[in-house]
């Protein structure tokens, strides 16, 4: 998420950025304070950002580091006409008030000339102490200490204010608010973008993109969901109300002006005119576990007819193999994304058989990131972010990556044997076992 946002605001993510394994703190090199503030207006992963004045593995190292920090950079925030306060945050340990005061007093060598103001200070400084990630084995002394000037907080309050529990219209698989915002940030969604979700469901992913000022639209094969009809997903509610729909969700958050439309459509058969239409495609394809994977079929296939609403909308559907879903999704993104536009989607994984080779590829799309969300000891899903780097040509129509080479796609059998054989069945079985 941070790398995507740095890229969005013109920064560059360097391989030299210092990431400490098993630590919640990260030393990041950012060109300007303005960029840091812009980044924190978007991120839901980072809690706060500070201008680092000193750090070390012990109190002595921290004080030595602070004494070496350029005085010219300190002085603007230490003037006699300014006010300040010092916070102490300890990760994985609780300190008494007396211990905190002792640590603050130890910083008396810093040339603070202003007055202490605990309620409304101009400048806030933080001592951050890292006591590791193991709550059952907390060390006496911290592994690392940091001191810096607070610049801005992240947007973690969005997780609560956009909580699915408070949302007007929800479904069985409505996306968690935190993950929705992470996906929008991976997609580098910005004001006036057009963002599309081909498996829109109840529109949870549209909300986060609209919050960042993008115009949003989506399609789904389920007539009832698009029109807010049928049985409700909320507990103690049998049927959906007359105003339960995607538009009502955006209206709930004051985002209705960004809503373009939601259409009933089969994602395996695009309805759009040819051309680069979308700045980002952000979606959560169905895996066939809690949501069926269906597409329109023909009478010659093994079909299932279903009455879709009280208006008697009927369509004929057939199985939509998992491998075909992702192949069609990548092909669609390669054709309809603008250059530099991003595709962000979830890929289900059976962990014992996972290798990076199973990530679907397309010659027009570059893999940007691959992040795992654990579901159980054997199953997970991966948030895949891809960027369009090459213009779509006719020869790219049916290409996918196999053993390092792009090959013509000849249907779900060959592709599925290589990549997704049994993934859905294993995940579904594990879910059933867990329920038992």
């Amino acid at each position: 998420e941070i790398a995507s946002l740095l890229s969005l605001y013109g920064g560059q993510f360097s391989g030299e950025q210092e990431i400490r394994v098993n630590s919640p703190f990260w030393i990041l090199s950012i060109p300007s304070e303005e960029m840091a503030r812009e980044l924190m207006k978007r991120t839901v992963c980072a809690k706060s950002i500070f201008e680092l004045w000193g750090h070390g593995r012990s109190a002595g190292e921290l004080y030595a580091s602070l004494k070496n920090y350029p005085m010219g950079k300190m002085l603007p925030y230490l003037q006699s006409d300014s006010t300040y306060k010092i916070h102490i945050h300890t990760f994985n340990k609780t300190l008494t008030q007396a211990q905190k005061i002792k640590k603050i007093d130890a910083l008396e060598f810093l040339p603070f000339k202003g007055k202490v103001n605990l309620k409304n200070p101009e400048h806030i400084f933080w001592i951050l102490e890292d006591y590791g990630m193991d709550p059952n084995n907390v060390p006496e002394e911290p592994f690392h200490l940091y001191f810096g000037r607070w610049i801005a907080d992240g947007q973690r309050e969005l997780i609560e204010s956009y909580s699915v529990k408070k949302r007007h219209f929800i479904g069985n698989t409505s996306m968690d608010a935190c993950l929705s915002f992470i996906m929008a940030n991976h997609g580098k969604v910005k004001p006036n973008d057009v963002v599309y979700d081909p498996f829109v469901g109840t529109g949870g992913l549209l909300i986060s993109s609209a919050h960042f000022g993008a115009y949003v639209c989506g399609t789904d094969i389920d007539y009832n969901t698009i029109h807010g009809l049928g049985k409700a997903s909320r507990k103690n509610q049998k049927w959906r109300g007359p105003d339960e729909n995607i538009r009502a969700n955006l209206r709930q958050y004051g985002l209705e002006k960004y809503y373009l439309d939601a259409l009933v459509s089969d994602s395996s058969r695009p309805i759009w005119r040819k051309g680069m239409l979308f700045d980002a495609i952000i979606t959560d394809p169905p895996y066939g576990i809690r949501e069926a994977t269906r597409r329109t079929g023909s009478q010659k296939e093994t079909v299932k007819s279903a009455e879709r609403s009280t208006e008697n909308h009927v369509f004929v559907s057939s199985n939509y193999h998992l491998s075909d879903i992702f192949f069609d999704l990548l092909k669609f993104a390669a054709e309809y994304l603008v250059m530099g536009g991003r595709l962000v989607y979830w890929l289900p994984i059976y962990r014992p058989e996972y290798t990076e080779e199973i990530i679907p590829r397309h010659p027009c799309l570059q893999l940007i990131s691959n992040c795992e969300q654990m579901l159980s000891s054997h199953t997970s899903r991966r948030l895949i972010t891809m960027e369009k780097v090459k213009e779509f040509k006719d020869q790219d129509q049916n290409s996918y990556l196999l053993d390092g080479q792009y090959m013509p796609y000849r249907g779900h059998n060959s592709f599925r044997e290589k990549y997704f054989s049994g993934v859905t069945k294993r995940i579904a079985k594990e879910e059933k076992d867990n329920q038992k």
Side-chain angles (χ1 to χ4, degrees), residues 264-316:
V264 180
S265 168
D266 177 5
S267 69
S268 70
R269 302 182 182 186
I271 58 174
W272 308 98
R273 63 174 171 81
K274 299 293 183 183
M276 296 185 286
L277 305 179
F278 306 114
D279 296 283
I281 297 172
I282 299 175
T283 190
D284 181 28
Y287 315 139
I289 303 166
R290 286 180 292 171
E291 293 288 350
T293 54
R294 310 296 294 174
R295 63 176 168 184
T296 51
S298 69
Q299 296 290 350
K300 294 180 182 179
E301 301 171 356
T302 303
V303 300
K304 176 184 176 183
S305 299
E307 188 175 293
R308 305 311 294 173
S309 76
T310 54
E311 297 178 6
N312 203 31
H313 286 264
V314 176
F315 76 94
V316 178

Side-chain angles (χ1 to χ4, degrees), residues 189-241:
V189 174
K190 58 186 183 299
N192 299 321
D193 278 356
V194 177
V195 177
Y196 171 62
D197 182 352
F199 303 97
V200 71
T202 55
L205 295 179
L206 302 187
I207 292 170
S208 54
S209 294
H211 174 83
F212 293 132
Y215 294 94
V216 295
C217 59
T219 57
D220 202 287
I221 198 171
D222 192 327
Y223 178 94
N224 283 3
T225 301
I226 290 293
H227 291 278
L229 302 172
K231 291 185 178 180
S233 297
R234 189 170 270 110
K235 190 178 180 181
N236 301 325
Q237 181 183 342
K238 190 171 183 181
W239 301 101
R240 288 172 176 150

Side-chain angles (χ1 to χ4, degrees), residues 244-261:
E244 285 190 53
N245 51 53
I246 296 172
R247 183 185 290 275
N249 275 351
L250 285 130
R251 187 185 303 124
Q252 176 183 351
Y253 301 111
L255 303 172
E256 187 177 4
K257 65 181 180 180
Y258 296 113
Y259 181 56
L260 299 177
D261 211 345

Side-chain angles (χ1 to χ4, degrees), residues 355-395:
T355 65
E356 191 137 324
E357 287 183 353
I358 75 168
I359 306 298
R361 304 293 182 97
H362 191 281
C364 297
L365 303 172
Q366 178 183 345
L367 181 65
I368 299 296
S369 69
N370 172 8
C371 307
E372 184 178 30
Q373 183 195 23
M374 294 282 291
L375 302 177
S376 73
S377 59
H378 287 82
T379 60
S380 67
R381 59 179 179 175
R382 289 187 169 259
L383 184 59
I384 306 299
T385 303
M386 308 185 89
E387 188 170 296
K388 185 171 179 179
V389 294
K390 175 188 168 191
E391 192 172 336
F392 184 84
K393 304 288 186 183
D394 289 339
Q395 59 264 33

Side-chain angles (χ1 to χ4, degrees), residues 29-91:
S29 179
I30 297 179
S32 67
E33 184 173 325
E34 181 185 0
M35 185 179 291
R37 292 184 184 278
E38 290 297 317
L39 188 151
M40 298 308 284
K41 288 178 183 177
R42 293 283 302 258
T43 177
V44 292
C45 287
K47 188 173 181 181
S48 302
I49 195 166
F50 309 88
E51 181 184 63
L52 185 64
W53 286 15
H55 66 102
R57 298 180 185 278
S58 66
E61 281 189 22
L62 171 64
Y63 303 151
S65 178
L66 282 170
K67 289 172 182 177
N68 288 329
Y69 191 72
M71 188 59 66
K73 292 184 178 181
M74 285 188 183
L75 288 179
Y77 310 103
L78 307 178
Q79 298 299 317
S80 57
D81 58 348
S82 66
T83 58
Y84 73 95
K85 72 173 177 179
I86 299 176
H87 265 303
I88 291 187
H89 174 75
T90 53
F91 187 84

